[in-house]
Amino acid sequence: MSHPSPLFTPLRVGELDLPNRVLMAPMTRGRATADGVPLPHMAIYYAQRASGGLLITEATSISPQGVGWVNAPRIDQPAHVAAWRPVTQAVHDAGGRIFLQLWHMGRASHPDFQGGQLPVGPSAIAAAGESHTPEGKKPYVTPRALETRELAGVVADYAHAARNAVEAGFDGVEIHGANGYLVDQFIRDGSNQRTDDYGGSIAKRWRFPLEVVDAVVAAIGASRTAIRLSPTGAYNGMSDSDPVASFSFGARELSQRGLAFVHLVAPLPGHMMANPAAPAVTPAVRAAFDGVLVVNGGYTRDAADAVIASGEADAVAFGVPYLANPDLPARLEANAPLNAPDFATFYSPGEQGYTDYPALA
Ligand SMILES: Cc1cc2nc3c(=O)[nH]c(=O)nc-3n(C[C@H](O)[C@H](O)[C@H](O)COP(=O)(O)O)c2cc1C
């Protein structure tokens, strides 16, 4: 059978040959221990989904300071590395490839995760929304602005986490630079009002994110390093005065670094994460970035084929459809019906709504 669908053509990403362009988007599931140690059912969940071109894990904390979501996994301690190893092994045994998403929540953490101390951010400006603490949801607090002299330590935490990820068997890492967490908080001027060399102009706001990228590249190599960005996302109270200029600058800088890919959360119109007031940024990023570009947000098979065929992107990441369909690539290829997601079990502990979604018979 021939495959006219662009989604089902191979793609080279870094040193990897992906058999298709259906990626699993990173999704927090809250199914690790309270100390961020992956549990055995996580290996089953990811291995069930191994037919995707590339799986990107749920966001995973790089340091105790970066923690801030109940039962989300970590990668900073040897116990985390040891418990991630069966996950990567299971995915590889099933023929798949998997990147770890590196997470520091910045101002979107909460004192309940920080021994009562304030979470840190670029500036003392609170996020809008609520933290998922062990005691339920609580409003975000105003963070403490990181001192300039502290930033090198945070950058080093990313590099340490990236080395741990490779030691745990991951094929690479995706730096979480999206959705209002620390890296995104530095990029966008609604959350970064710093007056040192890490805030103000677009170039200064990109300084910390690019230092993180460069440190991770130095630790594990550019072909194993990717970054996720959400240029127009409003989640967690994010805003920016000129996303086209800022992300064009960022894309030009990233283009010089030979990364595995850049991943844009750029939701299709009508998606719950779309920002109708914002300009389209993807074409500007595409024009400025010379590498593999992944897009995400509300894609169906037809929309994914169309965006790849148009040349605007090289691959598409699927979130909720992949959560609910372990065999998503086969279903998309066959135009088969999809399982409906159960929103009530997105973040709940246990197997239900996690490893029990059926594959096609
Ligand atoms: C349960 C859930 C958890 C998520 N966790 C993350 C995460 O850890 N990191 C991230 O970058 N995005 C996260 N997202 C956003 C998804 O990666 C994706 O951008 C979003 O679901 C839109 O894509 P879709 O329409 O294909 O689902 C999450 C989304 C959901 C539904």
Side-chain angles (χ1 to χ4, degrees), residues 86-112:
V87 178
T88 61
Q89 187 68 49
V91 170
H92 291 149
D93 287 350
R97 294 141 298 278
I98 184 165
F99 271 40
L100 181 77
Q101 194 183 47
L102 298 182
W103 202 19
H104 187 309
M105 294 181 65
R107 69 177 187 172
S109 183
H110 188 276
D112 287 4

Side-chain angles (χ1 to χ4, degrees), residues 217-228:
V217 166
I220 65 168
S223 66
R224 292 197 284 206
T225 304
I227 187 166
R228 189 175 216 216

Side-chain angles (χ1 to χ4, degrees), residues 25-29 58-59 101 176 179 228 265 271 273 296-299 317-321 323 346-347:
M27 283 179 288
T28 294
R29 303 303 312 273
E58 62 208 281
Q101 194 183 47
H176 196 345
N179 300 348
R228 189 175 216 216
V265 184
H271 188 269
M273 286 171 79
N296 162 258
Y299 278 86
F318 294 83
V320 172
L323 182 157
F346 274 15
Y347 305 110

